[in-house]
Amino acid sequence: MKFSALLALAPLVAAIPGSKQASSDASFSVMSARSASPVHLLPLNAAGSYFWLGGNAQTYSPVEGIPESNQTVITAGHYLDVVVPGGQAIYVDPKGALRFTTPHSAYEPAGSSDGPFAYTPGTSFGHWSYTGQGASGFMACPSSNSTATVRRGRRAAAAPKYQVFAALKNATVPSGNVADCIGFDALAIAANGTTPTWEYI
Ligand SMILES: *[C@@H]1O[C@H](CO)[C@@H](O)[C@H](O)[C@H]1NC(C)=O
Ligand SMILES: *[C@@H]1O[C@H](CO)[C@@H](O)[C@H](O)[C@H]1NC(C)=O
Ligand SMILES: *[C@@H]1O[C@H](CO)[C@@H](O)[C@H](O)[C@H]1NC(C)=O
Ligand SMILES: *[C@@H]1O[C@H](CO)[C@@H](O)[C@H](O)[C@H]1NC(C)=O
């Protein structure tokens, strides 16, 4: 949908009544919503095994016809939408950071959480959330170490200033203080029909 339309609808998010669960294979991208904050309407991006608000996705494709992408698309609740055999799962590590598994590996640090993550479709956009460990969704934490997202100069974008964590009081965040983090709504924008990239790196 158009960005301007999103902008107009974002304040209404809280008023959208819950709808039933989508089919598990729905794909979507995520935009943060927290009005009057520095993290209002930034794209959620996967890069360097972590997630960020802003910047670009970091992807790789060795296969002609399968494009690299600077956008991040999620499918089946908590997987990146990829072609690479084995797929790439999204999880929360023991520090509370939202992360994704590297290609050709299912490795997650001991004590990681695989959910529950939930995608709830809506009329214009849906919602994505994480409620494992009693978390109420996600938060954006100031970080100055997002260099992974600008490594690929070809699609350089400003380095993201916020890293995404599960909204947990005991998260270990880059600034050392969870109070520096900003909770946000994860708006899910349907991305059905997008060609999946090969892998996120
Ligand atoms: C997305 O595509 C899948 C698979 O074709 C379908 O089951 C699902 O309902 C679609 N979701 C949306 C939101 O269009
Ligand atoms: C993302 O990629 C598209 C085409 O591949 C390009 O037009 C667009 O400018 C890129 N966006 C950013 C933020 O780099
Ligand atoms: C953080 O708190 C949650 C909820 O109480 C708990 O499940 C989790 O184990 C804690 N994590 C750490 C690393 O202490
Ligand atoms: C970068 O962020 C990660 C994830 O929060 C953190 O573990 C690490 O200490 C940070 N590194 C630096 C140099 O700030």
Side-chain angles (χ1 to χ4, degrees):
M1 75 185 298
K2 282 207 188 76
F3 190 74
S4 55
L6 249 187
L7 200 69
L9 288 168
L12 303 176
V13 165
I16 294 171
S19 44
K20 68 180 163 63
Q21 201 67 16
S23 79
S24 64
D25 51 1
S27 328
F28 56 91
S29 58
V30 167
M31 187 78 85
S32 58
R34 174 69 185 261
S35 55
S37 88
V39 299
H40 193 46
L41 302 179
L42 293 174
L44 176 82
N45 276 314
S49 96
Y50 292 98
F51 284 85
W52 313 86
L53 293 184
N56 278 336
Q58 187 166 275
T59 65
Y60 173 72
S61 175
V63 180
E64 205 176 325
I66 297 182
E68 292 183 0
S69 172
N70 52 11
Q71 285 194 313
T72 299
V73 178
I74 296 170
T75 191
H78 72 122
Y79 293 87
L80 289 168
D81 194 14
V82 293
V83 179
V84 68
Q88 291 185 270
I90 300 173
Y91 65 98
V92 172
D93 81 6
K95 292 180 170 178
L98 187 67
R99 300 190 65 171
F100 61 96
T101 57
T102 56
H104 313 293
S105 167
Y107 173 77
E108 297 175 8
S112 292
S113 161
D114 286 315
F117 288 91
Y119 166 60
T120 312
T123 314
S124 303
F125 49 81
H127 262 287
W128 188 52
S129 95
Y130 168 78
T131 52
Q133 307 173 73
S136 53
F138 304 105
M139 61 185 181
C141 302
S143 170
S144 56
N145 75 2
S146 60
T147 49
T149 56
V150 289
R151 207 158 57 203
R152 295 162 74 81
R154 175 162 62 104
R155 281 176 184 155
K161 296 189 178 74
Y162 290 90
Q163 189 187 337
V164 177
F165 284 76
L168 289 166
K169 289 191 175 69
N170 60 357
T172 303
V173 302
S175 75
N177 186 355
V178 171
D180 295 335
C181 303
I182 304 167
F184 66 90
D185 279 330
L187 307 185
I189 297 132
N192 266 6
T194 339
T195 309
T197 189
W198 183 263
E199 67 190 21
Y200 290 79
I201 55 173

